[in-house]
Amino acid sequence: MCGIALMFSSGRKIASSTELLDRLQCRGPDHIGNLSLAYPRGSLSFISSVLSLRSEGLVRQPLEDPGTGSILCWNGEAWKLDDKAIDGNDTEVVLDLLVKATASHDLLLSLGHDINIDEAIVNALSRISGPYAFIFYDARHSKVFYGRDPLGRRSLLRCKEPDGSLMVSSVSSSSLPGTWTEVEANGIYVISAESTDDFDPIESHIAWPVRGDHTSAVPRLDLSVPAVDTLLNNLRSSLAVRILAIPTIFSDIKASAKIAILFSGGLDCTLIARIVHDLLPEDQHVDLLNVAFENPRVLKAASASNNMTLDAFSQCPDRVTGLKSYAELQRVCPGRHWRFVSIDVTYSEFSFHRPQIISLIYPHQTEMDLSIACALYFAARGRGTVSAGGLGDHIPHTTTARVLLSGLGADEVFAGYTRHATAYARSGYQGLASELEVDYQRLGKRNLGRDDRVISHWAREVRYPYLDDDFLRWALPLPPWEKCGFGQAEIRTGSLNNEEDPMLEPSKKLLRLLSWKLGMKSAAAERKRAIQFGARSAKMETGRTKGTTILS
């Protein structure tokens, strides 16, 4: 994971701000570097910070190709190239890929083939599996390319001034003029370094087909369907590439963890934790990061209605669910040292960090953005307490993990929101499929860039097993009735139809069945709860505020 930035000026050199450099370095504390190029009508400046997670040795950025002078700023994880796993540092592999693409273009052009250099770069990038944002300077053709992967899993912003000067960066800076906007994840953007013309986006979409419509013969979704085992195999593969090659950084720290999970105790993150256990050696610790907020509004309402004092943290919904799923993990996976990290955020601490969080999430600026982002911000900081073994005794703990796992994407792919049930009720499976497509397509714009900025601020990289490219190639084309149980009779999953077995709700039914099969029966029955309500980070000041209200 890295912080990257490009400063392009058509007539003057843009001075980088201290705020921007500090934020980039927060994302990549292992190294920060810059390269500058001068042109008769302007200048180009490239900045990269590095959080080294792919090899024991540090690969410094910006990375320059010695043969051509081309430059790459890379913030991502290229897990595969042409469906083959990448060994070693992916930044070097990607630079080599792009440089060869420009050379092949020139060769084909000399042989009379009609091929555009922009298309050659898009075609090269489409061979990569994994999340990324990048800036690439093609020295052969004096062009700069930048963009995000088709799902938008890494942050990239742009700020353009009236004179045509441009800043592209992982993070924003309030000290620089102009308006910051999210770079759309609809392809790559290109500009000629010898021109002041506006950018023209090259659309490069991956179309995920949605098969199926409402039929009269929908098969029942239960433990016997092959999709349950296929889901397990694909999710294991997605997790394996994300957790098995993390270098050891803190070998001198006793009981250090390489991996932490953003852990509410809900279905999605608990299923991740359960499969992580099968993949990691048992002597490796896994931190479960559970955040709870002191919400004055909730405390006041509880006091007024019950005439009693509500404990701000222990009675927080995600804390209750988190401890419940933690206990189930301990019971099902007794050989693992799970470390439940209670991250308690007081109202005064939230208020102190609020301006920083608002600045990080910009250009997102609604109350809902803040309530979600602040939960992720404090969870990613990883600073809380763990049980010391005694009755009620806790000791301070800050996770050493540089890699965080998130369950984001499960709801969008497997129909986990209330609106999915509404879409089915109104228009059947066809309506549900359309709603799922909309949710999936807007993930990059609504969630992923914003979340990347607040989490990476703490020099940690978030990884999304449910948004793996290969996993999605399997999951997205599944017909809706193989993902969820809307329209199907509720079934009991116990093989003997034990009346004590819980009824599994239809949302994300396939994930619930897998959780049940792996022994996590309590987690399989958990209902969906939005992070801002589970952690009580929503509407901290007043209940009259709407989620769409612009922050003041």
Side-chain angles (χ1 to χ4, degrees):
M1 194 273 294
C2 305
I4 61 176
L6 161 72
M7 289 177 285
F8 170 80
S9 171
S10 58
R12 59 178 175 83
K13 185 173 182 179
I14 304 175
S16 59
S17 71
T18 301
E19 180 187 35
L20 183 77
L21 293 176
D22 287 346
R23 288 184 178 175
L24 289 173
Q25 191 145 29
C26 283
R27 297 173 62 92
D30 295 338
H31 168 76
I32 187 165
N34 64 82
L35 287 172
S36 296
L37 300 174
Y39 281 88
R41 289 181 290 173
S43 64
L44 287 168
S45 296
F46 303 87
I47 305 173
S48 286
S49 64
V50 178
L51 179 71
S52 184
L53 292 171
R54 289 297 294 267
S55 60
E56 299 296 338
L58 175 68
V59 175
R60 301 175 187 273
Q61 292 194 46
L63 189 60
E64 185 174 11
D65 178 60
T68 63
S70 295
I71 298 169
L72 176 65
C73 298
W74 177 254
N75 171 30
E77 300 289 353
W79 302 120
K80 296 180 180 180
L81 181 63
D82 295 330
D83 292 327
K84 295 180 180 178
I86 294 176
D87 294 325
N89 188 274
D90 58 330
T91 306
E92 296 171 320
V93 172
V94 173
L95 177 59
D96 182 65
L97 171 72
L98 296 177
V99 170
K100 286 181 177 177
T102 63
S104 298
H105 161 266
D106 291 351
L107 176 61
L108 291 171
L109 204 62
S110 69
L111 296 175
H113 295 275
D114 184 16
I115 182 170
N116 186 284
I117 182 59
D118 304 346
E119 295 175 354
I121 296 297
V122 171
N123 292 338
L125 289 167
S126 67
R127 297 165 58 191
I128 296 173
S129 294
Y132 60 83
F134 77 99
I135 299 165
F136 174 63
Y137 169 64
D138 172 18
R140 294 177 186 270
H141 306 95
S142 296
K143 286 190 172 186
V144 176
F145 301 86
Y146 70 90
R148 305 162 71 191
D149 71 79
L151 191 50
R153 288 167 288 189
R154 289 290 181 265
S155 170
L156 200 62
L157 304 171
R158 58 180 284 177
C159 178
K160 196 166 186 180
E161 299 181 36
D163 68 352
S165 298
L166 177 79
M167 169 75 76
V168 178
S169 174
S170 301
V171 294
S172 66
S173 172
S174 59
S175 63
L176 295 173
T179 300
W180 291 88
T181 58
E182 294 268 8
V183 172
E184 296 283 354
N186 62 353
I188 66 172
Y189 294 78
V190 58
I191 189 172
S192 171
E194 298 178 344
S195 154
T196 58
D197 295 339
D198 288 341
F199 288 91
D200 291 319
I202 300 176
E203 302 292 341
S204 178
H205 298 113
I206 298 176
W208 302 105
V210 180
R211 301 196 333 259
D213 198 345
H214 183 79
T215 69
S216 58
V218 176
R220 192 177 74 170
L221 187 57
D222 59 24
L223 285 170
S224 66
V225 299
V228 176
D229 289 331
T230 307
L231 169 63
L232 175 59
N233 292 334
N234 287 328
L235 201 49
R236 281 175 60 94
S237 297
S238 173
L239 277 163
V241 76
R242 283 163 172 77
I243 68 174
L244 295 183
I246 301 172
T248 300
I249 304 295
F250 302 104
S251 57
D252 57 332
I253 299 178
K254 184 178 179 181
S256 64
K258 292 183 178 181
I259 294 166
I261 301 172
L262 300 176
F263 192 76
S264 66
L267 169 66
D268 311 329
C269 60
T270 305
L271 182 56
I272 286 174
R274 175 62 185 85
I275 299 176
V276 161
H277 170 72
D278 291 340
L279 294 170
L280 286 183
E282 284 198 350
D283 61 349
Q284 287 194 25
H285 290 63
V286 176
D287 286 349
L288 307 175
L289 308 179
N290 181 276
V291 64
F293 284 77
E294 178 190 35
N295 189 313
R297 177 184 60 82
V298 173
L299 296 177
K300 182 179 179 180
S303 177
S305 61
N306 300 324
N307 196 27
M308 59 182 291
T309 302
L310 180 72
D311 185 279
F313 304 120
S314 66
Q315 292 175 268
C316 193
D318 275 3
R319 180 60 48 81
V320 174
T321 305
L323 287 170
K324 182 180 176 183
S325 294
Y326 169 55
E328 188 169 45
L329 281 169
Q330 289 179 305
R331 184 171 63 253
V332 176
C333 312
R336 171 78 52 199
H337 189 99
W338 304 101
R339 194 156 43 199
F340 188 88
V341 185
S342 299
I343 300 170
D344 298 338
V345 184
T346 64
Y347 179 67
S348 61
E349 187 174 23
F350 160 76
S351 299
F352 178 80
H353 286 267
R354 185 177 185 271
Q356 171 79 295
I357 300 170
I358 291 175
S359 182
L360 286 170
I361 66 176
Y362 186 81
H364 294 264
Q365 51 186 331
T366 68
E367 287 287 348
M368 181 179 290
D369 288 316
L370 175 62
S371 63
I372 295 172
C374 67
L376 296 173
Y377 176 88
F378 286 105
R381 185 173 66 166
R383 185 188 306 166
T385 62
V386 295
S387 173
L391 183 61
D393 293 336
H394 284 77
I395 58 174
H397 175 77
T398 300
T399 185
T400 57
R402 286 186 159 195
V403 171
L404 308 181
L405 298 177
S406 167
L408 181 69
D411 290 308
E412 290 78 5
V413 175
F414 293 96
Y417 293 119
T418 301
R419 61 178 175 271
H420 295 144
T422 302
Y424 173 79
R426 288 176 176 172
S427 307
Y429 285 117
Q430 184 175 11
L432 174 58
S434 298
E435 189 71 23
L436 288 171
E437 176 71 11
V438 169
D439 278 346
Y440 168 73
Q441 291 294 342
R442 66 186 177 189
L443 260 175
K445 189 169 186 176
R446 291 187 63 178
N447 302 77
L448 293 168
R450 176 199 64 202
D451 298 352
D452 180 63
R453 290 191 289 281
V454 294
I455 292 172
S456 299
H457 179 73
W458 299 110
R460 306 191 201 279
E461 177 174 283
V462 61
R463 297 179 177 177
Y464 303 105
Y466 294 109
L467 296 180
D468 175 77
D469 296 81
D470 290 339
F471 184 83
L472 289 172
R473 287 190 187 99
W474 165 75
L476 287 172
L478 283 178
W481 54 81
E482 287 191 23
K483 301 178 181 183
C484 58
F486 299 126
Q488 303 175 33
E490 293 285 4
I491 59 166
R492 299 191 181 279
T493 54
S495 58
L496 300 178
N497 286 327
N498 188 327
E499 289 299 316
E500 294 180 0
D501 289 342
M503 300 282 281
L504 298 182
E505 66 171 273
S507 65
K508 296 185 291 190
K509 189 67 168 285
L510 187 59
L511 297 184
R512 297 182 186 281
L513 290 169
L514 178 57
S515 179
W516 183 277
K517 184 172 184 175
L518 295 177
M520 306 300 295
K521 298 183 178 181
S522 177
E526 285 295 337
R527 291 184 176 273
K528 167 68 182 175
R529 185 190 302 118
I531 184 173
Q532 66 269 33
F533 300 117
R536 286 191 175 146
S537 58
K539 302 180 180 180
M540 296 285 275
E541 284 85 10
T542 172
R544 296 178 181 177
T545 303
K546 293 183 178 180
T548 54
T549 300
I550 300 298
L551 295 166
S552 56

